[in-house]
C-alpha cells in the first residue's frame, strides 16, 4: 500500500528565505505526483504536477523535482513571502484513472 | 480546469442524523472521487464515484455509512449516515476531467461538525 510522508510537518521562516519541502513515497511505481496548497478553511489549489517520466516542473518561484527511483520529491520555494503561508500537500497517483494518495502536509509560516 | 461546487459549504448536525453533500461540476468529467479530511489530518480517499454503477470504496469505508450516487457525468452526492462526532471532518469532492488527463481538481469542501 502506497504511503506518502512529508517532512517537516511545520516550518517557520522569515520573508525572503529560500526553502525546501520534502515528500517521500514508499512505492516508486507512480503515474504522477502533484503538489497542492491548502489555505485555512479553503479547498486545494494545484501548484505543480510532475509526470513519472519527468524530473522537475517550474512555475514562477516554485520548482518541484522528482526522483522516482528513490521515492522522493522536493518543492523548492524561492524568495518566500508572507502570502506563501499555507499547508503544502504532496500526493501521488499510482496509475492513470486512480485517485491521488496524500501526505499529511507541511504547514509553512512566512513572517514579514 | 473545472469549476467544482459543493453544497452545503458547512453544516452542524446532531448525532444519529444523516447529511447529503452535493458536488456539481461545470463540465463532464470522467472520474469523481470523495475524500475526507479529519481535523489536523491529511486527505483520505473514501471512494470513487462511478457513473451508473455502485461506488468503489476504500478499505475502512462502507456503503451503508457513506452511500454515494453519481447519476451523470457532472454530479455526485455523498451521504454521511447515522453520524457521530467522529465524522466531523471536511468532505471534498475531486474530479479528473478526461481519460488521459492527469491533473486532479478539488472542490471547496464541506465542513461538517457533528454534536
Amino acid at each position: 500500500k502506497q504511503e506518502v510522508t512529508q517532512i517537516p510537518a511545520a516550518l517557520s521562516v522569515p520573508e525572503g528565505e529560500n526553502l525546501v519541502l520534502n515528500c517521500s513515497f514508499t512505492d516508486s511505481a507512480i503515474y504522477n505526483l502533484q503538489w497542492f496548497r491548502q489555505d485555512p478553511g479553503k479547498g486545494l489549489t494545484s501548484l505543480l504536477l510532475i509526470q513519472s517520466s519527468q524530473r522537475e516542473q517550474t512555475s514562477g518561484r516554485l520548482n518541484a523535482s522528482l526522483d522516482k527511483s528513490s521515492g522522493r520529491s522536493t518543492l523548492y520555494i524561492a524568495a518566500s513571502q508572507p502570502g506563501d503561508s499555507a499547508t503544502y500537500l504532496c500526493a501521488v497517483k499510482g496509475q492513470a484513472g486512480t485517485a491521488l494518495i496524500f501526505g499529511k502536509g507541511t504547514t509553512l509560516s512566512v513572517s514579514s | 480546469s473545472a469549476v467544482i461546487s459543493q453544497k452545503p459549504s458547512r453544516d452542524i448536525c446532531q448525532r444519529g442524523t444523516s447529511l447529503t453533500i452535493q458536488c456539481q461540476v461545470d463540465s463532464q468529467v470522467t472520474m469523481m472521487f470523495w475524500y475526507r479530511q479529519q481535523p489536523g489530518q491529511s486527505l483520505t480517499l473514501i471512494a470513487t464515484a462511478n457513473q451508473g454503477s455502485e461506488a468503489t470504496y476504500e478499505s475502512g469505508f462502507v456503503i451503508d455509512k457513506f452511500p454515494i450516487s453519481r447519476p451523470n457525468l457532472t454530479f455526485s452526492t455523498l451521504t454521511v449516515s447515522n453520524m457521530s462526532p467522529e465524522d466531523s471532518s471536511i468532505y471534498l469532492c475531486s474530479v479528473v476531467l478526461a481519460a488521459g488527463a492527469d491533473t486532479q481538481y478539488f472542490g471547496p469542501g464541506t465542513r461538517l461538525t457533528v454534536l
Side-chain angles (χ1 to χ4, degrees):
Chain A
K1 179 183 173 184
Q2 178 73 271
E3 292 185 3
V4 181
T5 303
Q6 292 186 245
I7 295 173
L11 182 63
S12 293
V13 300
E15 182 177 7
E17 266 201 18
N18 302 323
L19 57 100
V20 174
L21 308 181
N22 296 291
C23 172
S24 62
F25 43 95
T26 54
D27 186 349
S28 62
I30 65 169
Y31 182 71
N32 64 38
L33 182 146
Q34 208 166 337
W35 282 93
F36 293 86
R37 168 183 173 141
Q38 185 174 33
D39 293 280
K42 298 191 176 180
L44 277 69
T45 301
S46 179
L47 298 174
L48 290 164
L49 181 147
I50 310 178
Q51 301 290 1
S52 62
S53 59
Q54 296 176 325
R55 298 284 296 185
E56 65 178 343
Q57 283 287 330
T58 298
S59 176
R61 294 183 292 108
L62 305 179
N63 175 275
S65 68
L66 174 64
D67 184 344
K68 200 175 75 163
S69 61
S70 67
R72 295 177 187 274
S73 176
T74 61
L75 179 66
Y76 176 83
I77 302 176
S80 58
Q81 303 171 358
D84 295 329
S85 299
T87 297
Y88 291 81
L89 295 166
C90 169
V92 299
K93 184 181 291 277
Q95 302 174 38
T98 61
L100 288 167
I101 305 299
F102 281 81
K104 291 187 176 182
T106 294
T107 299
L108 173 65
S109 176
V110 182
S111 56
S112 56
Chain B
S1 65
V3 176
I4 307 169
S5 60
Q6 288 185 229
K7 290 182 180 179
S9 59
R10 59 176 62 224
D11 207 343
I12 300 173
C13 300
Q14 296 297 317
R15 181 196 299 261
T17 62
S18 298
L19 176 72
T20 295
I21 302 168
Q22 298 179 1
C23 176
Q24 179 73 56
V25 192
D26 68 343
S27 59
Q28 293 185 345
V29 299
T30 55
M31 309 289 295
M32 296 184 80
F33 308 101
W34 286 98
Y35 285 81
R36 179 176 74 181
Q37 187 175 28
Q38 294 177 299
Q41 302 297 314
S42 189
L43 281 74
T44 300
L45 180 66
I46 297 172
T48 301
N50 299 309
Q51 195 259 329
S53 65
E54 192 171 287
T56 304
Y57 290 86
E58 297 298 304
S59 176
F61 297 95
V62 296
I63 187 171
D64 290 345
K65 176 67 176 177
F66 298 101
I68 289 171
S69 76
R70 189 181 172 192
N72 56 50
L73 295 178
T74 63
F75 185 79
S76 178
T77 66
L78 168 73
T79 299
V80 186
S81 303
N82 188 25
M83 288 184 285
S84 67
E86 292 70 34
D87 294 319
S88 297
S89 297
I90 299 173
Y91 292 86
L92 297 107
C93 171
S94 179
V95 305
V96 172
L97 298 186
D102 297 315
T103 302
Q104 197 167 319
Y105 298 95
F106 284 80
T110 295
R111 183 179 293 271
L112 171 62
T113 301
V114 183
L115 303 178

